[in-house]
Amino acid sequence: MDQDRPPVEADLSPGQVAGGWRAGDPAGARKFAGLGGLPLEYGGTLPDVTIAYETWGRLNAAADNAVLICHALTGDAHVVGPAGPGQPTPGWWDGLIPTYLNPDDWFVVAANVLGGCQGSTGPSSQAPDGQAWGSRFPAITIRDQVAAEASLADQLGIDRWAAVIGGSMGGMRALEWPLLYPDRVATSVVLASTGYATAEQIAWCAPQLAAIESDPHWFGGDYYATGKAPVAGLGIARRIAHVTYRSEYELATRFGRDPQGDGRFAVESYLDHHATKLAQRFDAGSYVVLTRAMNSHDVGRDRGGLSEALSGLKARLVVAAVDSDRLYPPRLSAELAEASTGPLHLVKSPYGHDGFLLELDQVGHLIAEALIR
Ligand SMILES: CC(=O)SCCNC(=O)CCNC(=O)[C@H](O)C(C)(C)COP(=O)(O)OP(=O)(O)OC[C@H]1O[C@@H](n2cnc3c(N)ncnc32)[C@H](O)[C@@H]1OP(=O)(O)O
Ligand SMILES: N[C@@H](CCO)C(=O)O
């Protein structure tokens, strides 16, 4: 089998989850906050919630220099790196700190999202009975994820964020923050995101969920104790998703119809590579839970619709779209800008949705400008 193709079976060592971090792994720069029970939007309370986070800089005496960075679907708290012993990996937004967010000025916080697999409570975490939550992990929403971040902010002594910044799923949280907590956010920066998951976004997620859930090693979500993991299904999900993260133009000009010696088109090999990489670092259960949370996203829910929800927004909203983004097309960001009566910023990029991660100079300048008080 080609080494870039995820194996059909992943044999795991005892206690290991394919991808993802587990208690006992080196924490590196990560810190952990025990939040206790978290009431959930759909009802019930998730007990013993832990949120993993990293910080850069210091909270000033006025506690008015705190900035929250919200990661996207497969990101984590490690925005930039390396950041210390046991943390050799680069971050997913390397260069943002200190170039555009100087820790001499700002206290920057990034948390692994609720439902994730990089130290925060998710389906691979232990439930009170000592077994992994697995299929028992409750359905969560973007609002639940923001509520967990608010509880973390309480623990850190942050009453109000100078800015909450995020792209894609992180942008959903950056948008929900000032709606759930109007007095706790000065500025929200929402990148390559939307006010609600559209039919097409939900549609792209459907085959991804089906791929994972039909993997013979999924076991209804309770694979954690089996010694196997649904890496084939997760890899298929990533291949589908990754095409939506890039533009047709980029794929055409970068890969064309180039064949490889092994019979694959270059673009097939590229997708295989990303599938393998994700399966090595991410938990399929978290992928499912977080995908469903994104599908639930609708800031207009129980608030009279999008325009009504945004009409009373107290925070300043900075909205930016990537001009070549086919997953979160600029028209969705334009709706946000219009409803909040602000401008729509366009990031110029050939890369598509991932442009919010790759066009660091444009995005960094936007963030730095948004932070000018
Ligand atoms: C260290 C960590 O894992 S931290 C991870 C934390 N989370 C995240 O990063 C999530 C957000 N990140 C992402 O979504 C993506 O990684 C992005 C947006 C940063 C990727 O953006 P890009 O820099 O454009 O990478 P790109 O899509 O071109 O992929 C490059 C990889 O494809 C490989 N590749 C390129 N062409 C081919 C090909 N024809 N066949 C096989 N592999 C290929 C490259 O060798 C490279 O491999 P590497 O990443 O193992 O070094
Ligand atoms: N490449 C990003 C895209 C999701 O918006 C991620 O994997 O998190």
Side-chain angles (χ1 to χ4, degrees):
M1 176 175 289
D2 187 279
Q3 63 176 13
D4 267 350
R5 289 189 191 278
V8 174
E9 294 184 357
D11 289 306
L12 305 174
S13 55
Q16 185 199 354
V17 172
W21 176 94
R22 298 212 77 183
D25 288 357
R30 270 173 294 214
K31 295 168 260 216
F32 300 89
L35 307 182
L38 186 77
L40 299 175
E41 186 181 358
Y42 292 154
T45 295
L46 185 61
D48 298 332
V49 170
T50 296
I51 291 293
Y53 66 100
E54 290 191 33
T55 64
W56 296 261
R58 286 182 186 280
L59 191 62
N60 64 16
D64 65 357
N65 68 333
V67 173
L68 178 66
I69 297 187
C70 303
H71 67 75
L73 176 63
T74 72
D76 51 40
H78 198 53
V79 179
V80 296
Q87 188 61 272
T89 53
W92 52 268
W93 229 354
D94 266 332
L96 186 72
I97 307 168
T99 309
Y100 301 99
L101 269 176
N102 189 337
D104 291 340
D105 299 326
W106 302 104
F107 178 53
V108 185
V109 180
N112 183 214
V113 74
L114 178 73
C117 56
Q118 300 294 336
S120 291
T121 299
S124 62
S125 308
Q126 272 186 7
D129 65 2
Q131 304 300 310
W133 276 101
S135 64
R136 300 172 298 165
F137 195 79
I140 57 170
T141 67
I142 300 295
R143 294 181 193 180
D144 294 326
Q145 296 172 338
V146 169
E149 288 166 354
S151 183
L152 172 66
D154 293 341
Q155 290 204 10
L156 296 177
I158 298 163
D159 288 338
R160 190 165 188 261
W161 298 102
V164 179
I165 300 165
S168 197
M169 188 183 83
M172 296 176 184
R173 301 205 295 292
L175 188 59
E176 270 292 350
W177 248 104
L179 293 168
L180 278 178
Y181 305 100
D183 297 321
R184 299 193 70 173
V185 182
T187 300
S188 273
V189 181
V190 178
L191 307 165
S193 196
T194 179
Y196 51 90
T198 65
E200 184 171 281
Q201 288 159 0
I202 294 167
W204 279 122
C205 292
Q208 298 178 44
L209 293 171
I212 294 171
E213 292 173 349
S214 60
D215 185 304
H217 299 303
W218 171 244
F219 287 109
D222 291 317
Y223 68 86
Y224 297 100
T226 66
K228 309 276 186 189
V231 294
L234 180 59
I236 293 168
R238 186 61 163 185
R239 287 180 182 85
I240 297 166
H242 198 79
V243 176
T244 72
Y245 297 157
R246 314 298 286 215
S247 72
E248 189 273 342
Y249 171 83
E250 185 213 2
L251 296 180
T253 52
R254 184 172 173 185
F255 300 108
R257 298 185 43 77
D258 289 351
Q260 294 200 155
D262 61 10
R264 288 178 292 171
F265 285 107
V267 71
E268 291 180 305
S269 161
Y270 170 70
L271 292 179
D272 290 345
H273 181 75
H274 276 283
T276 305
K277 275 191 85 170
L278 189 76
Q280 283 166 353
R281 72 172 175 85
F282 210 79
D283 172 46
S286 278
Y287 196 94
V288 167
V289 162
L290 298 182
T291 298
R292 293 223 163 89
M294 287 196 295
N295 283 348
S296 80
H297 176 60
D298 179 7
V299 294
R301 183 172 62 250
D302 302 327
R303 296 180 180 134
L306 178 80
S307 299
E308 181 69 20
L310 294 182
S311 64
L313 199 65
K314 286 168 84 173
R316 186 163 65 107
L317 196 59
V318 176
V319 183
V322 180
D323 59 0
S324 56
D325 189 339
R326 55 179 165 188
L327 182 59
Y328 292 78
R331 74 169 183 84
L332 297 171
S333 294
E335 285 182 12
L336 295 179
E338 194 178 325
S340 64
T341 66
L344 169 65
H345 300 272
L346 269 187
V347 174
K348 292 186 178 30
S349 176
Y351 297 115
H353 180 62
D354 270 349
F356 83 89
L357 293 162
L358 297 170
E359 303 293 353
L360 183 66
D361 199 35
Q362 292 178 63
V363 172
H365 275 107
L366 198 72
I367 289 170
E369 280 167 26
L371 277 162
I372 294 171
R373 288 178 277 193

